[in-house]
Amino acid sequence: MTTDAVLLLAPRINDTGLQLRTAAGRRGLRAHTATTWRVPEELLGSGQQVHVYGGPLFGDAVGRELGLALLEPPADWLAGLPRELTGRRVSCTTLAEARTLRGPAFVKPPVDKEFAARVYPDGAALPGPELLDGDTGVLVSDVVRFRREYRLFVMDGEVRAASRYAVDGELSVAPLGADGAEVLAFTGDVLAASGPALPSAVVVDVGTTDDGWAVVEANAAWASGGYAADPDGVLDVVLRSAGPLAQLPPADLPFLRELPEVVH
């Protein structure tokens, strides 16, 4: 990482953004918090290597103009895992198909938060066609209760930072603690099963159910909270997950987020 690199943070900076700003400063990496949802003038044409941390809306707002490669897991990654790792049936389908469900299911958008991810009593309770097109992709899964949930920041197939973030569905942030060895062992199995199906820098969430360990989901590292994870490890993964397109490893090309052209 060169000293002319910049970490650009979204205007509504969260706790993880503050931690990353401090971690960046320790290694001589300049951090810049945007004041608007546009590329700061001083970064345009500056020749500096820009990396970004913020939500999908911020990534979309500045990514194309800055020539960034924003990595995200495939929409169907979770559905493609064996059931012994997911602990439930998971399918990747369309919102139109999900609207035909006749019983309860957990339904979520696979990437962006286009509607609330939660248990729906049936398909009729999902957003209607007047709100979202039927072609919208969704993940549909059996309803399971996660007892404890953990977030792992992964780069090149190795866990660089991790944290617990929930207990019985409620926010509960803490280091891995006594569960650390089991968390890392199960995550290792997940990464081995995934092979090249994930980008080189990504977040994987796992947890325990009444039936054992299971994958929760995968997310883009540049848009994920770090909770109690080591900020330096989180920063390593974030920098790889959202940096200059010109530096992108060829193996990560399939995982590029499609960035819109923003007209000011």
Side-chain angles (χ1 to χ4, degrees):
M1 186 63 58
T2 61
T3 55
D4 63 345
V6 177
L7 175 64
L8 178 62
L9 302 161
R12 292 198 290 269
I13 189 169
N14 57 19
D15 287 343
T16 301
L18 292 171
Q19 293 174 351
L20 293 180
R21 188 168 65 185
T22 299
R26 286 197 296 265
R27 63 178 72 178
L29 175 66
R30 189 166 71 89
H32 183 108
T33 303
T35 57
T36 67
W37 295 82
R38 300 177 64 171
V39 177
E41 290 289 337
E42 68 182 79
L43 296 182
L44 288 173
S46 67
Q48 298 177 94
Q49 296 179 19
V50 181
H51 303 257
V52 71
Y53 176 78
L57 290 177
F58 186 63
D60 285 348
V62 303
R64 180 183 285 264
E65 202 167 1
L66 287 171
L68 298 180
L70 303 184
L71 302 180
E72 58 186 12
D76 61 353
W77 173 74
L78 186 63
L81 289 176
R83 189 165 176 178
E84 57 263 30
L85 294 179
T86 62
R88 62 206 185 278
R89 291 177 300 174
V90 183
S91 62
C92 186
T93 184
T94 64
L95 185 55
E97 183 66 26
R99 287 177 182 140
T100 68
L101 291 169
R102 297 191 176 185
F106 182 84
V107 186
K108 72 180 292 289
V111 182
D112 293 341
K113 295 177 174 59
E114 296 165 297
F115 62 91
R118 63 178 177 85
V119 175
Y120 289 85
D122 53 41
L126 288 162
E130 71 281 1
L131 296 176
L132 278 176
D133 189 87
D135 291 336
T136 301
V138 296
L139 285 175
V140 178
S141 71
D142 291 337
V143 178
V144 296
R145 182 177 180 85
F146 282 95
R147 295 299 183 181
R148 298 185 303 281
E149 296 170 70
Y150 303 87
R151 171 154 295 173
L152 302 109
F153 285 78
V154 178
M155 189 163 74
D156 295 329
E158 296 182 359
V159 175
R160 297 297 184 94
S163 170
R164 190 186 76 194
Y165 65 88
V167 173
D168 288 327
E170 300 293 332
L171 185 67
S172 179
V173 176
L176 294 187
D179 291 332
E182 288 188 71
V183 173
L184 295 176
F186 179 71
T187 304
D189 292 340
V190 174
L191 296 176
S194 298
L198 285 175
S200 67
V202 69
V203 160
V204 175
D205 294 345
V206 304
T208 59
T209 72
D210 290 336
D211 296 319
W213 287 92
V215 180
V216 179
E217 61 184 0
N219 292 291
W222 52 270
S224 296
Y227 300 112
D230 171 48
D232 286 298
V234 173
L235 180 59
D236 287 337
V237 181
V238 167
L239 293 175
R240 171 74 71 80
S241 73
L245 178 60
Q247 298 178 2
L248 186 73
D252 278 329
L253 282 171
F255 308 110
L256 284 176
R257 179 179 177 85
E258 185 174 348
L259 298 174
E261 185 174 352
V262 178
V263 178
H264 298 298

